[in-house]
Amino acid sequence: MRKRTAVLGAFGAVAVALSVSTSAQAATWTPTEATKYANIRECYRATCASTGVIFPEMPVWWSHYAYNDAGNKWYYVKNDNGNTGWVYCENVTAGC
């Protein structure tokens, strides 16, 4: 029994190490700043539900961006309150 526990423990340690490494790579956040009051949205369209807000000069971090079918650039962001979602490019200093 002890050998099995040791083996499972070793596999568990490897799984944790891989998990941490993968998460660190996936969570690359670039700092920017809000330029005006805006909603953080569930998707990259103005009609999507709000998940939070940003205010002028509020620190914001973005991880990636996308263009919607109208050709508008949206950033996937997080704010100091832990809200995440999409913000239109004119609402942050990262720009269009």
Side-chain angles (χ1 to χ4, degrees):
M1 284 288 212
R2 287 183 188 237
K3 286 186 180 182
R4 282 189 180 172
T5 303
V7 170
L8 290 175
F11 284 121
V14 171
V16 169
L18 291 175
S19 171
V20 170
S21 175
T22 303
S23 296
Q25 290 173 354
T28 301
W29 295 94
T30 302
T32 188
E33 189 174 275
T35 57
K36 55 183 122 177
Y37 175 88
N39 285 302
I40 300 172
R41 305 275 181 188
E42 286 182 346
C43 69
Y44 42 93
R45 288 184 180 74
T47 56
C48 296
S50 176
T51 61
V53 295
I54 56 175
F55 299 94
E57 300 179 10
M58 176 186 236
V60 179
W61 294 265
W62 66 273
S63 66
H64 56 285
Y65 60 87
Y67 291 90
N68 64 15
D69 54 358
N72 298 319
K73 185 176 183 178
W74 290 70
Y75 288 94
Y76 188 80
V77 300
K78 69 177 178 177
N79 65 13
D80 279 342
N81 297 328
N83 303 110
T84 59
W86 295 92
V87 172
Y88 180 59
C89 64
E90 287 184 0
N91 298 323
V92 291
T93 57
C96 296

